[in-house]
Amino acid sequence: MASHSDTLVVFFGATAGENGGKLGSDEREIILLVWQIVDLHEKKVGKLHKCFVKPDTLELTDQCKEETGLTVDDIVKAEPLDKVLQQFQQSVSSEVKCLGRTTYTLCVDSPLVIRQALHPEASKKNLVLPECFFSFVDVRKEFHKCCPNAGPAQKLTLTSMLEYVGLPAVSEESIGVREVRNMVQLTLCILAEPHNHKFSCVETVNYKFDSGTCSKTEPVDSETVIRARGLPWQSSDQDIARFFKGLNIAKGGVALCLNAQGRRNGEALVRFINSEHRDLALERHKHHMGSRYIEVYKATGEEFLKIAGGTSNEVAQFLSKENQVIIRMRGLPFTATPQEVLAFLGPESPVTDGTEGLLFVKYPDGRPTGDAFVLFSCEEYAQNALKKHKQILGKRYIELFRSTAAEVQQVLNRYMSTPLISTLPPSPIVPVPVLTTPPFLPAASSTRDCVRLRGLPYTAGIEDILEFMGEHTVDIKPHGVHMVLNQQGRPSGDAFIQMKSPDKAFMVAQKCHKKTMKDRYVEVFQCSTEEMSIVLMGGTLNRSGLSPPPCKLPCLSPPTAYAAFPTPPAILSEAALYQPPLLAAPRPPQTTTHSPAHTLAYYPPQPHLYMNMNMNYTAYYPSPPVSPSTVGYFAAPPAVAAAVAAQPHHAAAAASPVLPQPGALVRMQGLPYNTGVKDILSFFQGYQLQPDAVLILYNFSGQCSGEALITFPSEEIARRAVAERSNHPFYGQQVHLAFCN
């Protein structure tokens, strides 16, 4: 620390390219180092030293030649950087010892020479810098602290600072010598009367990047985050930290981004300790990592939290073990057990704490995804594990590669925090309630202000749930506890709770997840009102999210939603539409004056059937047999059906609330059964598609049928997409595209 140092080493450097305020922005090598010692106690100065440095590329830019007055002949016989740094350390140590001092600190007129030139070049050349280059004082910040009326530190120059204290600037000397002499006389001035300044604002350079976790509740300043693009796919967080060597990254501040298939997409979000370091990082735009240039852009704190922020207590506990090497395993058999994974890794790569060092990634319904993360206590064990890459476990080959704490969070967030319902376009149809909707039930929305409790004891009652919630009970909305019954009217072990805000729901999910109720642990997930409504109406969880309940009716296409697939009127009986659900009160008698041919309409994801059990926070909801999503339909009221049936077909289509979407339609066949809307949008990237332009078709059991309808903005774009994408595989599978005219 400068406040405890005996001496200052006034230090200056120049590169073969940009200098001054843009020093280090063009990746040019250092060609000149100048330094001089100042004794802080005796206010004396030592000998001035000037050393040329021979770069690997003997080439100077015209701007460098003009600013420095140097030529290639001046540096061709110089020593390389590592030799010059050794000379620097030996010279300074010897001179400090001769002065009877023991410690010293570097003093520069800008952090650029240390952060943007010296550390990045040493990192690329695998040089180990002396310890003195990991701390320094900036004479501009020290002068601003001593003379705050002189102006902002960022706008100060050596000339302006000397002028402020009434000293003439040295101008006749060569570059480097001139700057060092000016810094020395400025330093001596503020050390003396009347200023008596003490150098104390020591800046440091991190020795290494510290991995760690980040909570989604942690505030992240958007002025500290950047997005790096074009990274090699095998890059680790340590590789990215090395690219930004010299700048201090916050703990756990590197988040590798994944694509829709969970693979790295060559991007990362990096969070620095302050905005100054972020601004310096932006100056490394198009600097190189190996043979690849990396693009660097501004990003937001919200984007960083979306990738790196975690919510799971299980993940936090897994990552709480520090100084561990994380390996990701992908492609595990769904039936793989922890013991089988440990046996696969073998005794030469022991996992930290055995099975406690394994984290299996699961879908919201608890089924495995085939991914797992493993902790190793040292690099040797991790290297042994990586040798198992693409070896066979069961009947599948397993991929192993290095991972990071942020990637663990992101993968878990992807599977556990994504919306549970299938990503289908919302229906524009006006809801047709079957029974009176309770006034206290809100309309479906995507606001995640609810939590789902799964694994409740079948004997659990309202009092048990309130006791389980503990202090969070006060944040439950009135009539906000909904217990889900199965088709037999018995408790299913699930319940939904409406909280007063998404923040309250998040806290409950974080604090109560896997707490015990009557010797059973209960899982708690944050969800939206829309997702709650789907389950209360009979939807079930599958690997892709929520699915509609099995339907006995034929799978119907959307009625007149697209002109290419007109749907003829269907004749559905009362019994076909309504299987006997469990109701608290008998259904009102149905009139028989209407035509048996009903007009079909989408049923919105809102609960309309309910059972009031006269409990303060409880309402029971039986499940109708037909899906409340776009794959199921209910009959319209008799008056509406009669009015529409009396119209011609084209008039009925015009009167229908479901209007054909503008644009041109393409049918996509042969899709994998786990296809999502994001996968299709990624496949058609560049064709101006929006999420609501994709409609995935489902079969009788509510699973993907392997077909989808895509609405393009125009016929020209649709035909171009069919022509250009027909021969491209869809994630390894050939699909058929057909333009519908």
Side-chain angles (χ1 to χ4, degrees), residues 529-557:
T529 312
E530 186 177 15
E531 296 162 0
M532 177 189 74
S533 302
I534 290 287
V535 172
L536 294 180
M537 289 299 292
T540 56
L541 281 168
N542 64 16
R543 189 169 299 166
S544 301
L546 277 174
S547 287
C551 178
K552 302 297 183 182
L553 302 176
C555 185
L556 303 175
S557 299

Side-chain angles (χ1 to χ4, degrees), residues 122-452:
S123 177
K124 289 179 181 179
K125 295 180 177 180
N126 293 317
L127 303 180
V128 179
L129 289 175
E131 187 177 354
C132 61
F133 289 105
F134 288 87
S135 62
F136 61 92
V137 292
D138 186 346
V139 71
R140 300 186 189 187
K141 294 180 181 178
E142 294 289 347
F143 187 82
H144 175 72
K145 183 179 178 182
C146 177
C147 306
N149 296 328
Q154 297 82 355
K155 296 183 179 181
L156 294 176
T157 64
L158 286 175
T159 302
S160 66
M161 290 186 287
L162 288 169
E163 182 179 346
Y164 186 85
V165 296
L167 293 176
V170 177
S171 57
E172 294 80 10
E173 302 286 352
S174 61
I175 187 171
V177 175
R178 177 175 63 246
E179 283 78 10
V180 168
R181 292 200 184 282
N182 282 331
M183 279 192 284
V184 167
Q185 66 168 329
L186 182 64
T187 300
L188 293 174
C189 177
I190 62 177
L191 286 172
E193 297 285 349
H195 303 290
N196 293 323
H197 180 69
K198 293 187 180 297
F199 286 77
S200 58
C201 300
V202 179
E203 298 187 42
T204 60
V205 178
N206 289 346
Y207 286 93
K208 65 175 184 176
F209 167 69
D210 292 327
S211 60
T213 60
C214 176
S215 171
K216 283 198 172 182
T217 59
E218 181 178 342
V220 176
D221 185 0
S222 292
E223 297 299 314
T224 64
V225 182
I226 60 95
R227 179 183 293 272
R229 181 177 298 163
L231 299 165
W233 69 267
Q234 71 272 28
S235 299
S236 68
D237 53 354
Q238 297 294 340
D239 295 325
I240 296 170
R242 186 175 182 181
F243 174 79
F244 289 109
K245 186 66 176 176
L247 307 179
N248 294 347
I249 300 174
K251 183 176 180 179
V254 176
L256 298 169
C257 301
L258 308 180
N259 61 18
Q261 289 72 46
R263 301 176 185 271
R264 297 174 186 173
N265 63 4
E267 295 188 9
L269 292 168
V270 185
R271 176 189 178 193
F272 295 91
I273 60 171
N274 57 39
S275 59
E276 179 185 354
H277 288 240
R278 193 283 304 266
D279 293 340
L280 293 178
L282 292 173
E283 294 294 327
R284 300 195 187 184
H285 180 59
K286 292 196 174 181
H287 283 204
H288 289 76
M289 179 184 288
S291 60
R292 299 175 64 113
Y293 73 82
I294 308 301
E295 301 174 45
V296 183
Y297 303 100
K298 290 182 180 180
T300 66
E302 182 180 355
E303 290 176 305
F304 181 82
L305 286 177
K306 185 178 180 181
I307 300 299
T311 61
S312 171
N313 290 333
E314 185 179 10
V315 176
Q317 183 177 358
F318 176 77
L319 296 175
S320 63
K321 306 177 182 68
E322 297 198 3
N323 300 320
Q324 299 290 312
V325 183
I326 306 175
I327 298 295
R328 182 179 177 184
M329 302 180 70
R330 189 166 58 199
L332 292 168
F334 296 143
T335 57
T337 64
Q339 289 71 27
E340 290 173 337
V341 173
L342 293 177
F344 171 80
L345 295 171
E348 64 275 10
S349 48
V351 178
T352 302
D353 296 336
T355 57
E356 296 296 321
L358 296 175
L359 178 64
F360 288 91
V361 183
K362 298 181 180 180
Y363 289 102
D365 61 355
R367 287 185 283 183
T369 64
D371 280 28
F373 292 94
V374 190
L375 296 179
F376 296 97
S377 59
C378 66
E379 186 66 30
E380 179 186 356
Y381 295 159
Q383 288 288 354
N384 292 337
L386 290 172
K387 295 176 183 178
K388 304 277 187 178
H389 180 60
K390 291 197 173 181
Q391 291 190 16
I392 302 298
L393 174 59
K395 295 183 179 180
R396 305 189 63 172
Y397 74 84
I398 311 302
E399 297 176 282
L400 291 94
F401 45 91
R402 293 181 178 275
S403 187
T404 67
E407 186 174 24
V408 176
Q409 296 281 24
Q410 187 181 356
V411 172
L412 267 293
N413 290 346
R414 178 180 297 274
Y415 288 109
M416 300 303 294
S417 300
T418 52
L420 297 176
I421 62 173
S422 179
T423 51
L424 292 174
S427 167
I429 291 299
V430 177
V432 183
V434 180
L435 295 180
T436 305
T437 304
F440 51 80
L441 193 65
S445 73
S446 59
T447 304
R448 300 175 67 80
D449 58 354
C450 301
V451 292
R452 177 175 184 169

Side-chain angles (χ1 to χ4, degrees), residues 569-698:
I571 301 177
L572 302 176
S573 67
E574 190 86 12
L577 281 171
Y578 301 101
Q579 296 177 0
L582 176 66
L583 299 178
R587 282 179 50 208
Q590 302 292 325
T591 60
T592 57
T593 58
H594 60 277
S595 167
H598 299 298
T599 300
L600 300 183
Y602 287 108
Y603 193 83
Q606 297 180 0
H608 295 291
L609 305 176
Y610 74 102
M611 180 182 290
N612 187 357
M613 301 300 289
N614 297 320
M615 294 184 180
N616 288 336
Y617 291 91
T618 300
Y620 288 90
Y621 291 79
S623 301
V626 183
S627 168
S629 68
T630 56
V631 299
Y633 308 91
F634 278 118
V640 177
V644 176
Q647 300 177 6
H649 177 72
H650 65 276
S656 171
V658 182
L659 298 177
Q661 296 185 9
L665 193 69
V666 170
R667 178 183 286 270
M668 197 172 184
Q669 296 174 305
L671 295 170
Y673 294 116
N674 60 349
T675 298
V677 172
K678 289 184 179 179
D679 301 323
I680 296 176
L681 292 175
S682 177
F683 182 74
F684 286 110
Q685 187 174 7
Y687 292 93
Q688 306 174 24
L689 288 182
Q690 299 296 325
D692 58 359
V694 178
L695 178 66
I696 299 176
L697 304 182
Y698 291 78

Side-chain angles (χ1 to χ4, degrees), residues 562-565 660-667 687-689 693-694 709-722 738-741:
Y562 301 94
F565 302 97
Q661 296 185 9
L665 193 69
V666 170
R667 178 183 286 270
Y687 292 93
Q688 306 174 24
L689 288 182
V694 178
L709 302 176
I710 300 97
T711 305
F712 288 85
S714 67
E715 180 178 339
E716 179 185 356
I717 296 177
R719 291 189 181 277
R720 181 163 59 88
V722 171
F739 177 74
C740 305
N741 50 22

